Amino acid sequence: MAKTVLIADDSASIRQVVGMTLKNAGYEVIEAEDGKDALSKLDGQKVHLVISDVNMPNMDGISFVKELKAQPANKFTPVIMLTTEAGEDKKQAGQMAGAKAWMVKPFQPAQMLDAVSKLVLP
Amino acid sequence: MELRPKKGKGAAGRYRLEGELTIYTANDDREALLKALDGPDELEWNLAGITEMDTAGAQLLILAKREAAAGTKTLVFTEHSAAAVEAIELLNLAGHLGDPLVLTGKEKTT
Amino acid sequence: MNMADALHTFLAESRALLQEMEEALLKLENDPADPDAVHAVFRAAHTIKGSAGLFGLDHIVDFTHEAESVLDRARGGEMALDDELTGLLLECSDHLGRLLDIAADGAEPDEDDAAHGAALTRRLAVYLERFGEGEQLPVETGAAEPRIDSAGPGPDGVENCAWHISLRFGRDVLRNGMDPMSFIRYLATFGEIVHVVTLPDAMPPAAEMDPECCYLGFEIRFRTDADKARIESAFDFVREDSAIRILPPGCRIGDYLELIESLPEDTTRLGEILVGCGAITPRELDEMLAIQEAQGGEKDEEGRPPLGEMFVQENVVQPEVVDAALARQKEVRGRQAQDSKFLRVHADKLDNLINLVGELVIANSGLGMLAARNKDGATMEAVSGVARLVEDIRDSTMRLRLVEIGETFNRFRRVVRDVSKETGKEIELVIQGGDTELDKTMVDRIGDPLTHLVRNAVDHGIEAAEVRAGRGKPAKGTVWLNAYHESGGIVIEVADDGGGLDQDAILAKAQARGVVAEGDELTDAQVWNLIFEPGFSTVDRVSNLSGRGVGMDVVKRAIEALRGTVGIESHAGRGTTFRIRLPLSMAIIDGFLMSVAAAHYVVPLELVLECVELPAGEGDADNRNYLNLRGEVLPLLRLKEHFALEGERTGRRRNVVVVQWAGRKAGLLVDELKGQLQAVIKPLGRVFSGLRGISGSTILGSGEVALVLDVPVLLEQAVQKEDYVAAQRIKSSRENVRVARTETADQ
């Protein structure tokens, strides 16, 4: 059974490229525009990994991860947070929310695939 | 994970483990498994129904073995499911746990 | 869907963002402080930069980076967006639009465009420099990129030779969603896992084992062409909390020695250590074991050449490696020998034993009373002999439950490390008196309150480094955990050398909450104690660390549930000490029995300072609530009145039992003194849980029930009696007169 990865990012192009890369590698991918959208698409179901941007409209990455981790099905779901060098302050808040893996934007698709495979293989 | 006691004569201490044995269920699983250790001196747990196993799950099996040994009981795991075999082989625990790994005829888990 | 489609999406998205950026910049020209507009500009630059990287549009990434840095400052309110800067950013936005057009054509920017971009970047850099931190900002984006494969094969590219990876993950790794198995699986994607040894040694007994914690360690032999950075990168996400050691193939002996010494396990056998280190292969170990068996000697370890020596003789490993492993094994054996002197006993069995000893104490004192009533001297003597033995048994039994508090203390090293990391403060934890023994139940239950106090000390107690420097203190803060015995109890101190409690803030808050009336005069201790009020916190900013919904009131209640007390000593600018006093054990105490109005009461003997007959006239005539004891004014608690007892007074005289706790003293006015006894404390039922001043009951040899007084609570109540407070004031003003009078009254 393929492993499911959810990507939440307000940039459609990032979603597309990451989604495409992961799908090609054999993952199921759920794309969401922001935290709110991600939560409604999850609907309490377990996913194997979540990739989330920090800065998003409606619901930012930190609040999203907090809510995600509060769901019984995703209490222990690994989260990769996307951030920029300018976002060190957010990193602390994110660590508290339960996002321990961080990736710096910009990144190459291959780097993303590599990071994902460390946590979950397809 | 659910612990189903086997029925019939001489079935005391024989259980079938059903479902996932992972970090998500680890707290409950620990309670259930430790409780199942209370019983006759010879225990047999059938792992054919394990659908998923991670490090937390493997850790619980190690714990169960150790606790059984501390209580001078023998605990045997049988009919490891594919998920159980994969985890045990990856962590090279077969020797540590000491049970022969035999794949069940058909994979009910995938 | 392919890359071209995605690029298309990126271009459309970026143009829309540029549009937004332009609108927002124009808005800022009218209202330079509009936070929404600043944020919109930042977000646009940020998103374009993030996405551009995916398509390898590095010139866009580089160019946007500078603008983003400036905008981040503006967003944080640290830099004003004046007309000049807004204008510059508009130019940047235009330039970005041009770069996007070029990317759409699949072309590279030409010289003119590059020069224009560089000029804009320089102008942006001026702003950053003016801000004074230009050079601190990361200029090249490459540095922050995730680690990837650097080109080329491993450092020596040796085939058939494996890396050695030693992994000890942080306890929370599983909770954080990181599964060690997935890292091992990942390694297998670019190499071959030759061998894995899983070490469960760190896993505690079932009762203490938290199934969500990771206790397993791993020793892995791994064959790959990749370099060390690539292997290391597998553990990028857990590197902070984990101990990861990677030894290249054909590593120097010194490195293996170091690894052996750093291994935490204590049951690893010599062979396993050597195999685990990759110093020898499992096959070589098997051969050695076979030869060893052939050379005879059943399981007699003394009579055959030691395993280690054989390894050297057979030239399998270098002597240094064996020496280190042998030393390590010797140490392990020594510890195992010690281990074997311990028995693991189920706590229930111990509790049962203690209950039985308790019953024995009661039965024996019944026998003693019977003998006394029959005036049977010989039996009385025999009973007292038994009593002595029972007392010894009791003490030994109680000692069985005592464990050293050191282990609990050591847990806090991690807490302090983590919290100081989170808060960015440099803090040292000093542990003293780790060998102080305490009842196991207490040790288990004191952990949480201590955690809270330690976190509190680190988070609120220790000041930020700049503040400390300003106060002339060392930049590194210190937190002390200290335990020692004191008058039949144990004292645990959590101290910090931080700023001390803010008396004014506490008072203000207490007044705001109506806990204290305006104009109330409070002693320091009373002020400090206010922080134990429910929902009390003087810190407005809820910190992630201590602000976990647990207040100091919970800490206090947890300690009181253990029949303990907690006190605070704080000095502004110098630090705060929380002092927890706990009784040594909870089940059996040496008590002092007394009676008031035909009711029996017991106080723990170690709290009784002295017993005196109530001097005629002293305190009796006017129902005063204080007493002069050799010039010292003590609060006097009349138990009959205090508990509203209706029974008749017994005995001709009235007596005062002076008790002491935590440096406070008070007199308890009772009728008769009955002397010492061993009291087996039974908890009161739930119905009486609200009763203040009584902590339990005990059954006397006669079958009657005596109540155990809760001295700390009584002391607190006694001190608060108004006329005692008044008397103390008078005393301090007329010290000499009083002393003179009481000296005569005392005789």
Side-chain angles (χ1 to χ4, degrees):
Chain A
M1 202 179 65
K3 298 288 195 290
T4 312
V5 179
L6 179 133
I7 161 120
D9 197 307
D10 54 328
S11 157
S13 59
I14 290 211
R15 288 202 303 273
Q16 279 179 13
V17 175
V18 171
M20 199 169 59
T21 313
L22 294 182
K23 272 179 205 156
N24 285 342
Y27 296 92
E28 295 266 352
V29 180
I30 303 172
E31 293 178 19
E33 287 173 25
D34 55 51
K36 270 232 161 66
D37 188 33
L39 286 176
S40 83
K41 280 186 173 141
L42 273 176
D43 195 25
Q45 293 299 302
K46 175 174 169 175
V47 286
H48 295 92
L49 179 87
V50 165
I51 302 168
S52 173
D53 193 14
V54 176
N55 280 304
M56 290 186 289
N58 289 325
M59 182 188 280
D60 68 29
I62 310 275
S63 319
F64 163 53
V65 170
K66 266 189 201 148
E67 298 225 358
L68 176 85
K69 293 270 168 179
Q71 295 181 351
N74 288 304
K75 205 174 154 196
F76 301 111
T77 300
V79 177
I80 298 179
M81 274 286 190
L82 306 180
T83 182
T84 55
E85 303 90 317
E88 272 302 316
D89 50 330
K90 294 274 182 185
K91 192 159 169 174
Q92 241 185 22
Q95 298 262 18
M96 298 285 185
K100 302 288 174 177
W102 290 75
M103 234 178 122
V104 178
K105 276 187 184 179
F107 50 80
Q108 303 286 325
Q111 292 173 330
M112 174 52 85
L113 180 59
D114 195 48
V116 169
S117 358
K118 286 172 193 170
L119 298 172
V120 181
L121 281 179
Chain B
M1 177 219 65
E2 207 184 316
L3 208 58
R4 293 200 189 136
K6 294 237 170 164
K7 295 197 178 76
K9 259 198 174 167
R14 298 177 66 191
Y15 291 91
R16 194 181 146 89
L17 279 61
E18 289 279 352
E20 65 174 288
L21 194 59
T22 66
I23 176 79
Y24 286 93
T25 56
N27 266 321
D28 293 343
D29 293 345
R30 184 186 77 141
E31 296 313 310
L33 295 178
L34 289 180
K35 225 168 134 190
L37 286 177
D38 275 342
D41 281 352
E42 306 216 334
L43 303 159
E44 183 190 308
W45 293 356
N46 182 313
L47 306 186
I50 299 278
T51 54
E52 217 183 324
M53 190 160 131
D54 63 4
T55 305
Q59 196 170 255
L60 282 175
L61 291 186
I62 298 173
L63 180 79
K65 276 272 179 178
R66 203 178 67 184
E67 289 297 310
T72 60
K73 296 181 181 196
T74 48
L75 169 62
V76 181
F77 300 143
T78 62
E79 293 186 50
H80 305 67
S81 71
V85 170
E86 203 263 344
I88 289 172
E89 288 199 328
L90 186 70
L91 300 185
N92 193 23
L93 289 172
H96 186 88
L97 296 174
D99 303 299
L101 288 182
V102 185
L103 277 171
T104 44
K106 258 189 194 155
E107 282 321 319
K108 300 146 194 164
T109 57
T110 41
Chain C
M1 170 70 59
N2 57 32
M3 215 56 184
D5 289 343
L7 180 65
H8 206 71
T9 314
F10 162 69
L11 292 169
E13 171 185 277
S14 301
R15 289 204 178 98
L17 284 166
L18 277 183
Q19 187 69 34
E20 275 178 40
M21 185 167 168
E22 202 176 297
E23 279 167 20
L25 282 170
L26 294 173
K27 217 185 276 174
L28 283 169
E29 278 194 319
N30 296 325
D31 180 5
D34 186 352
D36 289 341
V38 177
H39 191 78
V41 179
F42 171 79
R43 201 177 72 85
H46 170 78
T47 308
I48 292 172
K49 182 182 121 182
S51 309
L54 274 177
F55 301 93
L57 300 170
D58 292 343
H59 52 283
I60 297 188
V61 173
D62 293 346
F63 178 71
T64 324
H65 177 76
E66 208 76 0
E68 192 194 1
S69 303
V70 172
L71 286 164
D72 194 45
R73 296 281 168 211
R75 191 170 62 131
E78 299 165 46
M79 190 189 279
L81 278 176
D82 54 15
D83 278 2
E84 195 193 330
L85 182 52
T86 313
L88 174 59
L89 286 169
L90 276 170
E91 277 183 65
C92 291
S93 155
D94 293 343
H95 183 65
L96 263 179
R98 228 176 353 262
L99 290 179
L100 288 174
D101 289 342
I102 295 166
D105 296 337
E108 288 285 312
D110 61 23
E111 259 175 48
D112 283 355
D113 289 320
H116 184 56
L120 288 171
T121 307
R122 268 197 304 280
R123 284 166 64 193
L124 284 169
V126 170
Y127 271 89
L128 286 172
E129 266 162 39
R130 198 183 294 169
F131 189 73
E133 290 190 18
E135 62 280 15
Q136 283 177 24
L137 286 164
V139 179
E140 82 284 30
T141 51
E145 278 178 13
R147 220 185 273 272
I148 48 157
D149 246 340
S150 62
D156 38 18
V158 190
E159 271 206 347
N160 263 341
C161 221
W163 293 74
H164 185 78
I165 306 174
S166 179
L167 302 171
R168 299 295 181 276
F169 292 103
R171 287 279 185 267
D172 280 337
V173 69
L174 298 171
R175 271 198 200 97
N176 292 336
M178 317 275 175
D179 188 346
M181 275 195 207
S182 61
F183 297 119
I184 299 174
R185 286 192 190 105
Y186 173 77
L187 285 177
T189 62
F190 62 95
E192 186 198 343
I193 308 278
V194 183
H195 195 79
V196 179
V197 181
T198 300
L199 297 159
D201 307 54
M203 187 154 60
E208 289 152 37
M209 184 259 192
D210 180 342
E212 290 178 2
C213 282
C214 180
Y215 299 104
L216 302 181
F218 304 93
E219 300 291 324
I220 299 171
R221 280 157 60 72
F222 181 56
R223 195 175 293 152
T224 182
D225 289 337
D227 66 358
K228 188 168 180 180
R230 171 89 165 121
I231 301 175
E232 245 171 21
S233 80
F235 307 102
D236 270 353
F237 296 145
V238 286
R239 191 179 310 135
E240 273 181 32
D241 303 327
S242 308
I244 295 155
R245 292 169 146 272
I246 301 171
L247 299 183
C251 200
R252 283 177 302 116
I253 289 166
D255 294 321
Y256 283 111
L257 293 177
E258 219 173 276
L259 179 69
I260 291 171
E261 273 152 22
S262 73
L263 289 176
E265 280 71 28
D266 44 354
T267 53
T268 323
R269 287 174 297 109
L270 168 66
E272 262 178 324
I273 295 174
L274 291 173
V275 174
C277 300
I280 56 164
T281 65
R283 193 182 49 79
E284 284 165 329
L285 174 66
D286 288 345
E287 274 175 22
M288 297 310 305
L289 289 171
I291 296 168
Q292 193 173 42
E293 213 164 311
Q295 281 182 349
E298 297 297 313
K299 294 194 169 167
D300 171 22
E301 285 198 4
E302 317 301 322
R304 61 187 177 189
L307 194 58
E309 232 168 75
M310 283 179 47
F311 280 124
V312 182
Q313 282 167 9
E314 301 289 322
N315 285 329
V316 179
V317 289
Q318 286 82 347
E320 281 178 78
V321 177
V322 174
D323 283 350
L326 278 175
R328 171 92 191 134
Q329 196 193 28
K330 211 167 172 184
E331 195 185 310
V332 169
R333 282 229 187 94
R335 238 181 293 157
Q336 272 171 347
Q338 251 182 4
D339 283 351
S340 65
K341 289 185 195 146
F342 289 106
L343 271 182
R344 273 162 44 111
V345 180
H346 203 283
D348 287 353
K349 288 185 186 167
L350 218 53
D351 289 345
N352 193 29
L353 178 62
I354 287 172
N355 271 337
L356 286 174
V357 173
E359 298 296 328
L360 189 58
V361 169
I362 294 171
N364 193 53
S365 60
L367 187 60
M369 285 190 59
L370 213 61
R373 196 176 303 159
N374 294 340
K375 299 198 165 53
D376 181 345
T379 312
M380 274 168 72
E381 202 169 308
V383 166
S384 79
V386 173
R388 259 198 316 278
L389 289 172
V390 169
E391 204 171 307
D392 287 350
I393 294 176
R394 180 204 64 176
D395 289 346
S396 311
T397 318
M398 297 308 295
R399 257 200 300 278
L400 291 180
R401 289 192 55 88
L402 296 184
V403 293
E404 290 185 0
I405 198 163
E407 206 168 308
T408 309
F409 276 3
N410 282 330
R411 262 175 35 200
F412 292 108
R413 291 200 188 279
R414 181 64 194 273
V415 172
V416 169
R417 177 192 160 278
D418 288 356
V419 178
S420 53
K421 260 200 167 170
E422 284 164 23
T423 54
K425 297 175 188 169
E426 208 187 329
I427 290 160
E428 188 187 7
L429 178 68
V430 178
I431 291 176
Q432 289 159 340
D435 55 354
T436 311
E437 289 189 321
L438 184 63
D439 192 281
K440 176 88 171 78
T441 328
M442 300 240 206
V443 168
D444 292 345
R445 285 162 64 181
I446 202 67
D448 284 349
L450 276 185
T451 308
H452 193 75
L453 290 177
V454 170
R455 279 181 167 279
N456 221 45
V458 175
D459 195 20
H460 300 318
I462 305 281
E463 320 91 318
E466 311 87 67
V467 181
R468 293 183 65 87
R471 289 178 177 165
K473 296 195 220 179
K476 190 182 220 177
T478 309
V479 172
W480 288 270
L481 273 171
N482 189 16
Y484 54 91
H485 284 290
E486 186 193 87
S487 62
I490 181 175
V491 179
I492 302 172
E493 290 176 348
V494 180
D496 63 66
D497 67 346
L501 295 175
D502 184 344
Q503 193 153 13
D504 296 337
I506 294 172
L507 266 179
K509 179 96 179 200
Q511 281 165 358
R513 292 177 55 90
V515 181
V516 174
E518 199 115 2
D520 273 5
E521 274 183 46
L522 298 177
T523 63
D524 280 359
Q526 281 169 321
V527 174
W528 306 146
N529 276 325
L530 288 171
I531 67 170
F532 291 121
E533 292 292 325
F536 201 92
S537 166
T538 56
V539 182
D540 293 327
R541 165 186 63 96
V542 174
S543 141
N544 275 307
L545 301 174
S546 340
R548 281 168 198 250
V550 184
M552 294 295 279
D553 55 320
V554 178
V555 172
K556 190 177 189 196
R557 254 184 285 136
I559 292 167
E560 282 175 349
L562 296 170
R563 297 204 293 122
T565 59
V566 54
I568 304 174
E569 191 184 318
S570 183
H571 301 284
R574 287 195 305 177
T576 308
T577 303
F578 285 86
R579 200 164 280 123
I580 301 172
R581 286 165 205 273
L582 295 170
L584 258 193
S585 111
M586 308 190 58
I588 307 181
I589 58 165
D590 274 318
F592 187 82
L593 182 66
M594 56 221 186
S595 72
V596 189
H600 299 287
Y601 291 96
V602 173
V603 285
L605 189 64
E606 72 255 14
L607 303 183
V608 176
L609 208 59
E610 61 179 314
C611 300
V612 291
E613 198 177 308
L614 186 73
E618 180 60 59
D620 211 18
D622 49 358
N623 275 346
R624 289 201 306 241
N625 286 319
Y626 61 92
L627 162 82
N628 285 307
L629 183 69
R630 294 184 290 276
E632 195 177 357
V633 177
L634 294 184
L636 180 67
L637 202 66
R638 296 160 182 275
L639 287 186
K640 184 168 190 284
E641 284 76 17
H642 188 79
F643 290 120
L645 302 173
E646 286 168 359
E648 284 299 309
R649 176 173 150 184
T650 55
R652 286 178 295 119
R653 301 198 180 99
R654 298 232 265 159
N655 294 287
V656 175
V657 178
V658 179
V659 291
Q660 182 179 28
W661 171 260
R664 282 178 175 172
K665 287 187 212 170
L668 303 177
L669 184 61
V670 300
D671 296 346
E672 276 183 276
L673 305 176
K674 302 264 186 178
Q676 266 175 260
L677 88 165
Q678 290 187 11
V680 181
I681 297 187
K682 309 269 181 194
L684 291 172
R686 290 233 330 256
V687 186
F688 301 107
S689 61
L691 205 58
R692 304 256 301 150
I694 302 288
S695 60
S697 65
T698 186
I699 298 164
L700 302 177
S702 61
E704 286 174 291
V705 173
L707 296 175
V708 181
L709 294 177
D710 188 345
V711 172
V713 169
L714 288 178
L715 270 174
E716 204 167 299
Q717 290 171 339
V719 172
Q720 282 163 3
K721 298 268 183 192
E722 279 171 24
D723 55 350
Y724 162 69
V725 177
Q728 214 182 19
R729 273 201 208 115
I730 295 167
K731 185 212 166 204
S732 47
S733 60
R734 296 193 210 153
E735 189 78 57
N736 297 333
V737 184
R738 281 237 164 241
V739 170
R741 238 190 69 188
T742 44
E743 222 124 69
T744 48
D746 209 44
Q747 301 311 308

